[in-house]
């Protein structure tokens, strides 16, 4: 009778569940799983740190709708992978972490890299389990897949002990599992949809907030129809950007603070009132703001601010319901209102404030000058990854998106180090699109060795490092007394471009802003991985803010 081992069953089961990409680092005991994955037709990408592997796996999940897999060795490999689990949990992105484990018959004996892996993974996972019999591998992979994408998406963990990976069973004895269908799309009650529209109709200063939940549910057509039909101004969350075209006239992006502060009714579409949205509380929000909330998770309704109407279910299905219900109504938000006028006025004032900085050709340059050329250079269909503090926050306002699911950044967990994993994931999922990462010089350091990964697979990623010599700004030349180096300082002008060249890609270093565009064009024309290191003034900062981004 034909026999099959655990590694092969794992690979076949993942493939059956629509898992097309695996990121990992091999070693004891997972090498056979990586080999079997390639054999089964899964694209395997060998990474340099398990953090990046698990960041890449979740980006694949978000971009494709099926979880990506991360494969890590026992003990320290799993511990590194936890960073990705935590990030996936906060972002609500699906992934499956597969941790090798020491053999079950050595449990508790102090085996090589022995760790209580299911226990440490559990707090960050929707489902975490050890596989205890070879024939049950497909059962657990089905469960891990289903939990990762059904309901609120998130991370799952499977523990694969050495003796399960190498153990064999008769093919006939394998517990076959069904293929997980795409998630069912739950709808809201029609009466609640009507109530939501009643609240919206009663608004004087309505605002729609579009979150990445809409991108996840592929609701872009429905959301676009909803905004066009209602004519309500909208604000995108950092990764909800592109569900609506950022350049749409109803976007309040450039008047964010004002819109949040003054809106009297907010329709939250797949976005949470967490720190990114200042918890929905004063002084950043109107004290009496009324909330209509669409979310896939019932327990998310009314988080931080009680929702007047909660619509629980799939974003695309529910916005579609709202569009249908709107067919029976005459109402739309009028074009000539003081609310539109106030938003337009704030946007214009914002643009006026930025213009002199964007036009400033002195060097070292400031952020807005760098972003002027970067955004003019960005191809419209690019996947854009942003990472850093100022680099990411300013980049969010200065690099527009036209499409859904093409903006990835530090996200709900504010994680530095995601950039290279996300960039590599985007490049393998979307070989047809340019992948551009704009990273701070601190941010690039967290996973910088993945530059070798990008070069090894010859992924044509374009990385721009905004080099201000520090975390949120540096000090320029460092003091001779090294004990006096400020904690935020890095080497100003460090040549990250040479890291790229060291591994076979191409790098450029730019100090003169008038040279920046030409260099960016050269980098784009180059067929392989490229890094453009842009020297910024260490003192450059954001335009003066009424409130800081990171504080409430
Ligand atoms: C894992 C992790 N460690 C530390 C931080 C704290 N942190 C926030 S932003 C940032 C880096 C910002 O500097 P940089 O990437 O150079 O961007 P800049 O603001 O200088 O443009 C750091 C270290 C974090 N968010 N995540
Ligand atoms: Mg910096």
């Amino acid at each position: 009778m034909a026999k099959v081992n655990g590694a092969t069953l794992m690979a076949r089961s993942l493939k059956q569940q629509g898992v097309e990409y695996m990121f990992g680092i091999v070693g004891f005991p997972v090498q056979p799983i990586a080999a079997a994955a390639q054999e089964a037709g899964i694209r395997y990408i060998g990474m340099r740190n398990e953090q990046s592997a698990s960041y890449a796996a979740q980006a694949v999940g978000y971009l494709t709708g099926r979880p990506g897999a991360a494969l890590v060795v026992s003990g320290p490999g799993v511990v590194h992978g936890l960073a990705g689990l935590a990030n996936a949990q906060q972002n609500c992105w699906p992934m499956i972490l597969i941790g090798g484990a020491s053999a079950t018959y050595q449990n508790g004996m102090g085996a090589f890299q022995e760790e209580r892996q299911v226990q440490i993974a559990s707090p960050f996972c929707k489902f975490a389990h050890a596989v205890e019999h070879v024939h049950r591998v497909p059962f657990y992979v089905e469960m891990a897949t289903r939990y990762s994408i059904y309901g609120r998406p998130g991370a799952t963990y499977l523990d694969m002990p050495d003796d399960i990976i190498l153990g064999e069973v008769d093919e006939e004895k394998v517990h076959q599992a069904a293929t997980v269908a795409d998630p069912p799309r739950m709808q809201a009650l029609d009466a609640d949809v009507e109530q939501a529209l009643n609240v919206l109709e009663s608004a004087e200063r309505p605002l729609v907030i579009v979150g990445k939940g809409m991108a996840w549910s592929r609701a872009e057509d429905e959301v676009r129809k909803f905004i066009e039909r209602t004519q309500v101004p909208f604000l995108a969350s950092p990764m909800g950007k592109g569900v609506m075209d950022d350049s749409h006239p109803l976007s309040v992006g450039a008047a964010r603070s004002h819109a949040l502060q003054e809106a009297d009714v907010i329709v939250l579409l797949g976005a949470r009132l967490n720190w990114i949205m200042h918890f929905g509380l004063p002084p950043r929000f109107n004290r009496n703001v009324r909330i209509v909330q669409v979310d896939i998770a019932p327990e998310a309704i009314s988080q931080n601010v009680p929702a007047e109407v909660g619509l629980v279910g799939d974003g695309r299905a529910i916005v579609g319901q709202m569009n249908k219900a709107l067919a029976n109504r005459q109402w739309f938000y009028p074009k000539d209102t003081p609310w539109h006028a106030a938003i337009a006025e704030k946007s214009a004032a914002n643009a006026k404030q930025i213009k002199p900085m964007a036009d400033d050709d002195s060097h070292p340059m400031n952020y807005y000058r760098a972003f002027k050329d970067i955004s003019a250079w960005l191809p419209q269909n690019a996947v854009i990854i942003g990472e850093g503090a100022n680099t990411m926050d300013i980049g969010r306002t200065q690099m527009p998106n036209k499409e859904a699911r093409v903006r990835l950044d530090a996200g709900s967990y504010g994680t530095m180090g995601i950039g290279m994993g996300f960039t590599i994931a985007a490049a393998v999922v979307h070989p047809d699109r340019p992948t551009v990462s704009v990273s701070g010089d601190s941010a690039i350091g967290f996973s910088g060795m993945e530059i070798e990964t990008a070069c090894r697979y010859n992924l044509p990623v374009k990385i721009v490092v905004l080099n201000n010599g520090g975390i949120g700004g540096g000090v320029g030349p460092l003091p001779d007394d090294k004990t006096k180096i400020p904690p935020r300082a890095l080497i100003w002008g460090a040549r990250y471009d040479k890291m790229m060249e060291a591994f076979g890609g191409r790098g450029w270093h730019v100090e003169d802003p008038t040279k920046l565009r030409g260099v960016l064009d050269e980098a784009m024309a180059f067929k392989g991985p490229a890094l453009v290191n842009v020297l910024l003034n260490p003192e450059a900062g954001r335009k003066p803010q009424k409130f800081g981004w990171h504080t409430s």
Side-chain angles (χ1 to χ4, degrees):
M1 204 177 289
K3 298 256 189 201
V4 60
N5 69 17
T8 301
L9 268 183
M10 170 57 72
R12 278 197 213 154
S13 305
L14 289 168
K15 181 75 180 171
Q16 180 200 341
Q17 298 301 345
V19 175
E20 296 292 341
Y21 304 93
M22 180 183 279
F23 304 85
I25 298 181
V26 294
F28 174 83
V30 296
Q31 162 71 31
I33 297 180
Q38 279 191 321
E39 190 75 12
I42 293 174
R43 175 95 190 260
Y44 182 86
I45 305 280
M47 306 291 284
R48 301 302 300 262
N49 185 297
E50 292 85 358
Q51 290 183 1
S52 288
S54 55
Y55 296 144
Q58 65 197 260
V60 162
Y62 176 63
L63 294 173
T64 69
R66 300 302 285 194
L71 180 70
V72 304
V73 303
S74 47
V78 172
V79 169
H80 290 174
L82 294 181
L85 292 182
N87 195 67
Q89 181 180 56
Q90 296 289 326
N91 270 348
C92 315
W93 285 2
M95 64 169 286
I96 304 175
L97 181 67
I98 300 153
S102 37
T104 52
Y105 53 80
Q106 293 175 343
N107 277 349
M109 294 174 70
F112 174 63
Q113 298 186 333
E114 184 179 355
E115 186 52 83
R116 292 162 302 165
Q117 299 174 174
V118 175
Q119 200 174 327
I120 61 177
S122 290
F124 306 112
C125 286
K126 292 180 72 185
F127 171 73
H129 216 288
V131 180
E132 76 296 305
H133 291 291
V134 180
H135 70 276
R136 300 196 72 207
V137 168
F139 171 87
Y140 283 116
V141 173
E142 187 273 348
M143 222 170 145
T145 304
R146 186 155 41 83
Y147 271 68
S148 75
I149 56 176
Y150 278 31
R152 168 161 279 175
T156 57
Y157 176 75
L158 292 179
D159 209 51
M160 283 289 278
D162 181 42
D163 48 328
I164 302 293
I165 293 173
L166 298 177
E168 295 190 331
V169 285
D170 292 340
E171 289 257 21
E172 281 179 9
K173 297 217 172 106
V174 172
H175 178 133
Q176 300 296 347
T179 303
V180 176
D182 284 342
R185 295 185 181 271
M186 295 170 290
Q187 291 196 329
L189 287 178
D190 287 338
D192 290 344
V193 170
E194 291 299 333
Q195 186 53 26
L197 294 177
N198 289 343
V199 173
L200 182 59
E201 255 195 71
S202 70
E204 261 176 53
R205 296 177 306 281
L207 178 69
V208 172
I209 298 181
V210 184
K212 65 180 176 293
M214 292 296 116
W216 162 253
S217 73
R218 285 158 169 71
E220 52 269 26
D221 290 349
E222 284 73 10
V223 172
R224 285 170 186 224
K225 203 169 154 199
F226 181 74
I227 297 291
E228 294 302 344
R229 171 63 184 78
T230 59
Q231 291 293 308
V232 173
F234 71 88
L235 173 73
S237 78
M239 289 197 275
K241 272 165 69 69
V243 170
M244 287 295 301
D245 184 340
D246 275 333
S247 60
H248 192 285
L250 286 168
S251 168
V252 305
R256 182 181 193 273
S257 299
H258 180 80
L260 292 181
Q261 217 167 17
E262 300 297 328
D264 64 343
V265 168
I266 291 181
V267 180
L268 268 183
L269 299 180
R272 291 167 287 177
L273 293 178
N274 58 16
W275 65 276
I276 290 181
M277 290 297 164
H278 320 286
F279 313 106
L281 296 174
R284 304 300 301 265
F285 280 62
N286 185 333
R287 188 172 303 283
N288 301 313
V289 65
R290 299 161 71 199
I291 303 285
V292 172
Q293 188 176 359
V294 177
D295 203 282
I296 197 160
E299 64 274 21
I301 303 292
S302 295
Q303 177 75 52
N304 297 332
V305 181
E308 189 162 329
V309 185
L311 304 175
V312 176
D314 175 73
R316 184 167 132 196
I318 290 179
V319 181
Q321 269 186 296
M322 294 204 286
N323 288 337
K324 227 168 159 187
L326 279 164
N328 304 323
R329 293 180 185 237
Q330 299 298 318
W331 178 86
F332 62 90
Y333 188 65
K335 279 199 163 52
D336 290 325
T337 61
W339 181 227
H340 281 308
I343 290 170
E345 193 184 307
K346 289 282 171 190
S347 297
N350 185 58
K352 199 167 156 207
Q353 201 179 4
I354 288 168
K355 184 138 193 331
M357 292 188 277
D359 289 343
D360 179 359
D361 275 347
S362 62
H363 43 116
M365 69 188 101
N366 71 66
Y367 286 98
Y368 290 91
R369 177 63 186 85
F371 276 118
K372 183 169 85 171
D373 282 6
I374 293 168
S375 56
W377 159 77
L378 276 170
Q380 285 216 343
N381 64 342
V383 183
I384 305 170
I385 292 96
E387 188 179 22
N390 292 328
T391 298
M392 183 172 74
D393 295 348
I394 298 173
R396 190 175 285 143
T397 66
Q398 302 302 301
M399 294 187 292
N401 285 91
K402 288 209 164 298
E403 295 176 54
R405 294 175 299 284
V406 292
R407 184 56 155 257
L408 308 173
D409 75 16
S412 308
Y413 210 29
T415 309
M416 295 299 115
I418 46 77
M420 284 306 301
F422 286 3
T423 300
I424 287 166
V428 296
V429 167
H430 289 307
D432 47 325
R433 293 174 182 271
T435 298
V436 176
S437 165
V438 182
S439 179
D441 56 341
S442 167
I444 194 74
F446 285 76
S447 304
M449 195 50 74
E450 303 297 346
I451 289 173
E452 188 275 337
T453 310
C455 289
R456 188 167 8 108
Y457 291 98
N458 195 29
L459 299 170
V461 299
K462 311 302 166 193
I463 299 167
V464 181
V465 175
L466 297 189
N467 190 322
N468 61 358
I471 298 173
V475 290
L478 299 173
D480 287 337
D481 180 351
K482 301 308 177 199
T483 65
K484 297 278 188 315
I485 294 179
R488 71 173 187 283
L490 298 168
I491 296 175
W492 185 43
R495 299 294 299 271
Y496 301 101
D497 50 313
K498 294 200 183 225
M499 285 178 69
M500 180 59 95
E501 300 228 319
F503 299 121
R506 281 200 64 190
W508 289 262
H509 177 72
V510 185
E511 300 197 356
D512 178 353
T514 63
K515 302 262 161 53
L516 178 57
R517 180 58 199 265
V519 165
L520 291 170
D521 287 337
E522 268 186 73
M524 191 58 79
F526 175 62
K527 297 271 180 271
L531 191 149
V532 178
N533 194 44
V534 182
L535 194 75
L536 288 200
N537 188 334
E539 315 247 291
R542 309 174 61 192
K543 72 181 175 59
Q545 294 282 304
K546 193 161 160 202
F547 303 97
W549 172 263
H550 294 285
T551 57
S552 60

Short mmCIF file of all heavy atoms in Angstrom, two decimals, residues 367 387-391 414-416 440-443 446 468 470-473, ligand 1:
data_model
loop_
_atom_site.label_atom_id
_atom_site.label_comp_id
_atom_site.label_asym_id
_atom_site.label_seq_id
_atom_site.Cartn_x
_atom_site.Cartn_y
_atom_site.Cartn_z
N TYR A 367 11.06 66.36 3.58
CA TYR A 367 10.18 65.27 3.17
C TYR A 367 9.30 65.65 1.97
O TYR A 367 9.12 64.87 1.03
CB TYR A 367 9.24 64.87 4.31
CG TYR A 367 9.90 64.09 5.41
CD1 TYR A 367 10.34 64.72 6.58
CD2 TYR A 367 10.09 62.72 5.29
CE1 TYR A 367 10.94 63.99 7.59
CE2 TYR A 367 10.68 61.99 6.31
CZ TYR A 367 11.10 62.63 7.45
OH TYR A 367 11.69 61.90 8.45
N GLU A 387 6.80 52.75 5.39
CA GLU A 387 7.25 52.32 6.71
C GLU A 387 8.15 53.38 7.31
O GLU A 387 9.06 53.90 6.63
CB GLU A 387 8.01 51.00 6.58
CG GLU A 387 8.37 50.37 7.90
CD GLU A 387 9.11 49.05 7.75
OE1 GLU A 387 9.69 48.81 6.69
OE2 GLU A 387 9.12 48.28 8.72
N GLY A 388 7.92 53.70 8.58
CA GLY A 388 8.71 54.73 9.25
C GLY A 388 7.78 55.54 10.12
O GLY A 388 6.62 55.16 10.33
N ALA A 389 8.26 56.63 10.65
CA ALA A 389 7.38 57.53 11.41
C ALA A 389 6.97 58.66 10.46
O ALA A 389 5.96 58.57 9.77
CB ALA A 389 8.06 58.02 12.66
N ASN A 390 7.80 59.71 10.38
CA ASN A 390 7.48 60.78 9.43
C ASN A 390 7.37 60.26 8.01
O ASN A 390 6.48 60.65 7.25
CB ASN A 390 8.57 61.85 9.46
CG ASN A 390 8.59 62.60 10.77
OD1 ASN A 390 7.55 62.78 11.40
ND2 ASN A 390 9.76 63.02 11.19
N THR A 391 8.31 59.41 7.64
CA THR A 391 8.30 58.88 6.26
C THR A 391 6.95 58.26 5.94
O THR A 391 6.39 58.50 4.87
CB THR A 391 9.42 57.83 6.10
OG1 THR A 391 10.68 58.47 6.33
CG2 THR A 391 9.42 57.22 4.71
N GLY A 414 1.38 49.27 14.29
CA GLY A 414 2.48 50.23 14.19
C GLY A 414 3.85 49.56 14.14
O GLY A 414 4.82 50.06 14.70
N THR A 415 3.93 48.44 13.45
CA THR A 415 5.14 47.61 13.50
C THR A 415 6.21 48.06 12.52
O THR A 415 5.97 48.10 11.31
CB THR A 415 4.78 46.14 13.18
OG1 THR A 415 3.69 45.76 14.00
CG2 THR A 415 5.98 45.23 13.40
N MET A 416 7.38 48.40 13.03
CA MET A 416 8.53 48.60 12.16
C MET A 416 9.14 47.23 11.86
O MET A 416 9.26 46.39 12.76
CB MET A 416 9.60 49.48 12.82
CG MET A 416 9.17 50.91 13.09
SD MET A 416 8.74 51.83 11.61
CE MET A 416 7.00 52.11 11.88
N GLY A 440 11.69 54.72 6.06
CA GLY A 440 12.61 55.53 6.83
C GLY A 440 13.93 54.79 7.02
O GLY A 440 14.00 53.57 6.81
N ASP A 441 14.97 55.51 7.42
CA ASP A 441 16.26 54.83 7.57
C ASP A 441 16.28 53.94 8.80
O ASP A 441 16.99 52.92 8.84
CB ASP A 441 17.43 55.82 7.55
CG ASP A 441 17.32 56.92 8.59
OD1 ASP A 441 16.20 57.17 9.10
OD2 ASP A 441 18.34 57.57 8.88
N SER A 442 15.49 54.26 9.81
CA SER A 442 15.36 53.32 10.93
C SER A 442 14.57 52.11 10.48
O SER A 442 14.98 50.97 10.68
CB SER A 442 14.68 54.00 12.13
OG SER A 442 14.28 53.03 13.07
N ALA A 443 13.43 52.35 9.85
CA ALA A 443 12.53 51.25 9.46
C ALA A 443 13.24 50.21 8.61
O ALA A 443 13.07 49.01 8.82
CB ALA A 443 11.33 51.82 8.72
N PHE A 446 15.26 47.21 10.33
CA PHE A 446 14.69 46.08 11.07
C PHE A 446 14.77 44.77 10.29
O PHE A 446 14.92 43.70 10.87
CB PHE A 446 13.22 46.36 11.42
CG PHE A 446 13.05 47.35 12.54
CD1 PHE A 446 13.22 48.71 12.33
CD2 PHE A 446 12.69 46.91 13.81
CE1 PHE A 446 13.06 49.61 13.36
CE2 PHE A 446 12.52 47.80 14.84
CZ PHE A 446 12.72 49.16 14.63
N ASN A 468 17.25 60.45 7.11
CA ASN A 468 17.44 61.65 7.93
C ASN A 468 18.32 61.36 9.15
O ASN A 468 18.39 62.16 10.08
CB ASN A 468 16.09 62.23 8.38
CG ASN A 468 15.30 61.25 9.22
OD1 ASN A 468 15.74 60.13 9.46
ND2 ASN A 468 14.14 61.67 9.68
N GLY A 470 18.01 59.11 11.57
CA GLY A 470 17.44 58.82 12.88
C GLY A 470 15.99 58.41 12.88
O GLY A 470 15.33 58.38 11.85
N ILE A 471 15.55 58.11 14.07
CA ILE A 471 14.17 57.70 14.33
C ILE A 471 13.34 58.97 14.46
O ILE A 471 13.44 59.67 15.47
CB ILE A 471 14.10 56.85 15.62
CG1 ILE A 471 14.93 55.57 15.44
CG2 ILE A 471 12.67 56.54 15.99
CD1 ILE A 471 15.08 54.74 16.71
N GLY A 472 12.55 59.25 13.42
CA GLY A 472 11.77 60.49 13.44
C GLY A 472 12.66 61.71 13.42
O GLY A 472 12.30 62.77 13.95
N GLY A 473 13.81 61.61 12.81
CA GLY A 473 14.74 62.75 12.73
C GLY A 473 16.01 62.46 13.50
O GLY A 473 15.98 61.78 14.52
C1 LIG B 1 8.98 46.91 16.19
C2 LIG B 1 9.06 48.36 16.51
N1 LIG B 1 10.10 48.85 17.20
C3 LIG B 1 10.17 50.17 17.48
C4 LIG B 1 9.20 51.02 17.09
C5 LIG B 1 9.26 52.51 17.44
N2 LIG B 1 9.36 53.28 16.21
C6 LIG B 1 8.31 53.96 15.71
S1 LIG B 1 8.66 54.67 14.26
C7 LIG B 1 10.26 54.15 14.31
C8 LIG B 1 11.24 54.48 13.22
C9 LIG B 1 11.05 55.84 12.63
O1 LIG B 1 12.21 56.29 12.01
P1 LIG B 1 12.42 56.16 10.46
O2 LIG B 1 12.00 54.84 9.98
O3 LIG B 1 13.81 56.54 10.16
O4 LIG B 1 11.39 57.22 9.88
P2 LIG B 1 11.48 58.82 10.00
O5 LIG B 1 10.43 59.24 10.96
O6 LIG B 1 12.85 59.17 10.51
O7 LIG B 1 11.22 59.33 8.65
C10 LIG B 1 10.50 53.41 15.45
C11 LIG B 1 11.80 52.79 15.80
C12 LIG B 1 8.09 50.46 16.39
N3 LIG B 1 7.05 51.19 15.97
N4 LIG B 1 8.06 49.14 16.09
#
